[in-house]
């Protein structure tokens, strides 16, 4: 009895149901204005809704730009091109993704959403129009407060221990 639905439909439904908290972890974000519209509207309409995003900020291959400049450019693009709402979410990144030394580089590749610490959605889909609407992706939505709380604790712990850092200028 598993239902097959477009990832975008599932995510819009999840975002629209949030009342207290949303955790979003993703690798690639493109067409964020479309992908995050329902979440931004929900966030603007619900001042107490806390939204945290854990996103990949990457250094292009061979690029030697200072990490602070890459973060500033990411922050600007996110605020002006990716986020459609007035109120900004908290956005975190993995500092290792900006390492110049390729042997020390890492990426924040997890793709999941946690709604109100009750529902967890884990997916192969990035936050792109293609992944949300056209690609063949696999995702599972699980109504499990235990799993949802554990995922939330995992990301909170990474941030509290300094492994993930807040993106300056966002949220």
């Amino acid at each position: 009895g598993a239902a097959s639905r477009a990832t975008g439909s599932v995510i819009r439904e999840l975002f629209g149901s949030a009342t207290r908290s949303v955790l979003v972890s993703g690798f690639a974000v493109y067409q964020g204005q479309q992908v995050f519209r329902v979440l931004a509207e929900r966030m603007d309409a619900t001042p107490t809704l806390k939204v945290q995003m854990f996103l990949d900020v990457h250094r292009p291959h061979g690029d030697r730009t200072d990490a602070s400049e890459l973060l500033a450019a990411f922050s600007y693009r996110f605020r002006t091109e990716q986020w459609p709402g007035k109120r900004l979410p908290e956005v975190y990144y993995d500092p290792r993704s900006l390492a110049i030394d390729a042997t020390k580089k890492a990426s924040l590749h997890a793709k999941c959403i946690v709604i109100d610490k009750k529902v967890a959605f884990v997916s192969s889909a990035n936050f792109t129009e293609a992944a949300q609407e056209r690609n063949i992706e696999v995702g599972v939505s699980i109504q499990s407060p235990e799993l949802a709380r554990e995922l939330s604790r995992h990301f909170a712990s990474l941030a509290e221990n300094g492994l993930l850092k807040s993106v300056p200028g966002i949220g």
Side-chain angles (χ1 to χ4, degrees):
S4 179
R5 298 174 56 203
T7 303
S9 296
V10 172
I11 288 176
R12 284 187 296 274
E13 183 178 294
L14 288 170
F15 287 160
S17 73
T19 60
R20 294 188 327 267
S21 64
V22 177
L23 180 149
V24 175
S25 175
F27 179 67
V29 176
Y30 300 99
Q31 296 99 19
Q33 292 277 340
Q34 295 169 290
V35 174
F36 296 130
R37 181 161 317 286
V38 170
L39 178 58
E41 289 169 354
R42 188 80 175 142
M43 199 174 161
D44 288 342
T46 311
T48 57
L49 181 62
K50 180 178 181 177
V51 177
Q52 295 178 303
M53 294 188 162
F54 299 86
L55 302 176
D56 189 64
V57 178
H58 68 277
R59 173 183 298 283
H61 181 71
D63 185 295
R64 301 189 68 77
T65 305
D66 187 76
S68 64
E69 290 181 43
L70 293 172
L71 283 168
F74 177 89
S75 176
Y76 178 78
R77 276 191 313 276
F78 183 85
R79 287 182 285 112
T80 61
E81 298 173 17
Q82 300 301 329
W83 188 251
K86 295 178 184 95
R87 199 162 64 93
L88 291 167
E90 297 173 19
V91 180
Y92 297 85
Y93 74 103
D94 184 340
R96 299 173 303 162
S97 67
L98 298 177
I100 292 174
D101 181 347
T103 64
K104 295 180 180 172
K105 200 170 182 179
S107 65
L108 206 163
H109 204 262
K111 299 171 197 82
C112 65
I113 295 170
V114 177
I115 304 295
D116 296 333
K117 296 183 183 171
K118 293 179 181 178
V119 178
F121 178 71
V122 180
S123 174
S124 64
N126 286 307
F127 295 106
T128 65
E129 182 274 331
Q132 300 294 307
E133 303 298 335
R134 292 181 280 134
N135 292 355
I136 296 173
E137 303 281 357
V138 174
V140 61
S141 181
I142 306 167
Q143 293 197 15
S144 168
E146 296 83 15
L147 175 62
R149 282 193 303 271
E150 188 56 37
L151 282 170
S152 295
R153 273 194 294 269
H154 175 67
F155 283 96
S157 175
L158 291 171
E160 288 166 9
N161 291 310
L163 296 170
L164 299 178
K165 304 235 183 237
S166 180
V167 174
I170 305 178

